[in-house]
Amino acid sequence: MAKFNENFLNLKESYLFSEVAKRVSVFQQKYPERSVIRLGIGDVTLPLGSTVIKSLHSAVDEMGSADTFRGYGPEQGYDFLRNAIKEYYKSFGVELDADEIFVSDGAKSDTGNITDLFSKDNIVMIPDPVYPVYVDTNTMNGRKIVYINGTAENDFLPMPDRSVHADIIYICSPNNPTGACYSKAQLEEWVAYALENDAVILFDSAYESFVSDDDLPHTIYSVKGAEKCAVEFCSLSKTAGFTGTRCGYTIVPKGIKSVSYDGKEMSLNKMWNRRQTTKFNGVPYIVQRAAAAVFSEEGRLETKRMTAHYMENARIISETMEQLGVWFCGGINSPYIWFECPFGMNSWDFFDFMLEKTGVVGTPGAGFGKNGDNYFRLTAFNNKENTEEAMRRFRTLFE
Ligand code: PLP
């Protein structure tokens, strides 16, 4: 009989969103007349921009004509999109070669798939709280994980501890779920730590388009030396509403080397290329055309408008927290607001309390790691009217 991968026995039950859905459904059965407002969603709600739609339509038409039809494309992505991404990075003062850019179906798969390149006995450093995919994919591979604690004391931006060694370091900035965003000086410390430890940083910048503060970096390559130690994952999911359309990209600089036990060197870029050409057959042509439109001048204006729409909701939520004296972070360079559960409650008790009293749904922080036990995540992805109403109801908890 085929033996299964026993590391799967070590995965924690992923019950966060199913448990949220279950509790909301019980509430709705109990109070069919009461309205529920969902500020727990990590999915976008605005439709694709008109420039993107136009590009999609014309790509679909190309597929219907023998002389413009496309079959298998390059696994790494079409040149037109890789070059558009290269130009985008230039706007941050970062020079990349097009063959350092790999187009993908999103950051979730790539942040998980990258684990293929590394030996099982690497020590992996993962912040807590964070997007759960990093922990689960490394657990599936049986790697040892050391956690770095995000707490209110460090504004949920843990810094390297020189007494602890790691080979692989995950950084998510702006962070999901806390919305906290590293400064350039802080990323410089992480890059220095990685270079001292011959470690690789896996930098998830899925929310970079929400960074509005001019001093904060959108990419880790704003830091000198990152091109020798950092892989960056990005996504058009939240930037341009591609959660259902699916397109992201991963930057693997040619300057990053990895070594085997007997000292043989391999280029991570070449390894990733080999991995992708073996296990992945590329993103659909029509989706890549839509993605390229996101990077056009009009596409970028549309993206800015979408982000501004969500960030107005974030402002409404942040302002409410400020006025109520609730400790929070995020909400400025991120669509997430992460706050301390009021009244000394833990996050699941607060979830039930808020739902029962107000009909507002959020995400309990416990779902993102143990440091989230007493925290709660709200998102800016609903519409303005619902966000305002949710905050009006939220205030009643304090009356
Ligand atoms: N990285 C982070 C930090 C996320 O929060 C998410 C989605 O919520 C993803 C990656 C997944 O992105 P994608 O839709 O590109 O797979």
Side-chain angles (χ1 to χ4, degrees):
M1 193 192 288
K3 307 288 183 299
F4 67 89
N5 174 353
E6 291 193 16
N7 294 317
F8 276 65
L9 295 171
N10 299 325
L11 290 170
K12 288 216 185 81
E13 211 47 57
S14 157
Y15 71 109
L16 177 66
F17 290 103
S18 56
E19 183 60 27
V20 165
K22 202 165 89 192
R23 293 185 191 205
V24 173
S25 156
V26 168
F27 173 85
Q28 285 177 314
Q29 275 162 21
K30 193 168 156 196
Y31 306 110
E33 74 295 348
R34 288 181 61 187
S35 82
V36 167
I37 302 179
R38 293 171 201 274
L39 296 190
I41 41 174
D43 198 354
V44 292
T45 48
L46 290 177
L48 295 174
S50 62
T51 308
V52 172
I53 289 293
K54 223 185 290 164
S55 191
L56 255 180
H57 277 301
S58 76
V60 168
D61 288 341
E62 283 182 67
M63 293 301 276
S65 175
D67 51 342
T68 47
F69 166 79
R70 310 278 179 135
Y72 289 124
E75 292 94 339
Q76 305 85 347
Y78 284 100
D79 283 345
F80 64 79
L81 180 53
R82 295 174 102 187
N83 285 324
I85 297 168
K86 181 178 144 125
E87 290 304 310
Y88 181 58
Y89 272 77
K90 271 193 192 159
S91 70
F92 302 131
V94 172
E95 288 290 338
L96 299 172
D97 288 341
D99 60 0
E100 295 177 305
I101 300 165
F102 294 83
V103 175
S104 75
D105 64 351
K108 186 185 202 175
S109 7
D110 277 11
T111 49
N113 292 338
I114 196 88
T115 59
D116 275 4
L117 307 194
F118 301 106
S119 154
K120 298 272 176 285
D121 29 24
N122 283 299
I123 297 171
V124 185
M125 184 175 267
I126 302 183
D128 172 334
V130 86
Y131 182 54
V133 169
Y134 319 146
V135 170
D136 286 352
T137 51
N138 280 287
T139 303
M140 285 174 188
N141 285 322
R143 282 202 192 88
K144 181 170 181 243
I145 298 173
V146 293
Y147 292 94
I148 40 170
N149 295 312
T151 61
E153 286 66 46
N154 59 26
D155 290 321
F156 287 93
L157 292 168
M159 294 305 295
D161 172 353
R162 282 339 206 249
S163 67
V164 179
H165 169 79
D167 303 299
I168 299 169
I169 303 151
Y170 283 84
I171 299 179
C172 178
S173 181
N175 181 282
N176 176 14
T178 69
C181 184
Y182 282 107
S183 68
K184 189 170 175 197
Q186 288 171 318
L187 289 183
E188 278 166 354
E189 267 197 61
W190 274 112
V191 167
Y193 170 84
L195 293 171
E196 281 160 30
N197 282 274
D198 282 331
V200 173
I201 293 176
L202 303 178
F203 188 79
D204 187 341
S205 65
Y207 297 92
E208 67 78 17
S209 61
F210 292 89
V211 173
S212 57
D213 190 332
D214 286 342
D215 295 337
L216 294 176
H218 288 249
T219 159
I220 194 157
Y221 304 119
S222 301
V223 172
K224 207 162 167 277
E227 71 287 354
K228 295 196 195 94
C229 64
V231 172
E232 181 160 296
F233 304 89
C234 200
S235 166
L236 297 186
S237 282
K238 311 296 159 80
T239 301
F242 272 55
T243 49
T245 308
R246 310 301 308 144
C247 194
Y249 47 93
T250 293
I251 316 289
V252 190
K254 287 182 279 193
I256 309 181
K257 298 272 182 294
S258 195
V259 284
S260 68
Y261 282 104
D262 54 1
K264 282 195 205 84
E265 278 200 353
M266 282 270 243
S267 143
L268 221 55
N269 176 284
K270 281 198 176 139
M271 288 175 74
W272 181 246
N273 190 53
R274 186 74 166 86
R275 191 261 170 223
Q276 290 300 79
T277 51
T278 303
K279 294 194 181 181
F280 183 59
N281 246 342
V283 174
Y285 172 71
I286 57 175
V287 171
Q288 292 194 55
R289 278 290 176 202
V294 172
F295 295 100
S296 67
E297 212 169 299
E298 310 89 271
R300 281 169 71 172
L301 284 175
E302 273 171 14
T303 297
K304 272 211 171 93
R305 279 199 293 273
M306 275 185 197
T307 312
H309 165 89
Y310 295 130
M311 291 317 289
E312 169 62 7
N313 297 336
R315 189 196 59 76
I316 292 164
I317 301 172
S318 309
E319 193 179 87
T320 307
M321 298 298 162
E322 250 161 40
Q323 288 169 355
L324 293 171
V326 174
W327 188 95
F328 75 100
C329 60
I332 301 169
N333 297 288
S334 155
Y336 296 128
I337 293 90
W338 178 253
F339 63 92
E340 187 177 18
C341 297
F343 320 119
M345 287 184 181
N346 74 34
S347 61
W348 278 110
D349 287 349
F350 183 71
F351 175 91
D352 290 333
F353 173 73
M354 182 166 77
L355 180 61
E356 179 74 25
K357 298 268 184 214
T358 67
V360 175
V361 180
T363 310
F368 302 97
K370 75 171 172 47
N371 290 318
D373 271 350
N374 298 317
Y375 290 84
F376 210 79
R377 190 190 77 174
L378 293 182
T379 84
F381 290 126
N382 210 311
N383 62 37
K384 185 171 178 182
E385 192 188 351
N386 284 343
T387 306
E388 280 175 334
E389 173 59 14
M391 289 302 101
R392 192 193 61 71
R393 295 186 198 175
F394 188 84
R395 285 172 197 275
T396 64
L397 295 176
F398 294 79
E399 283 164 2

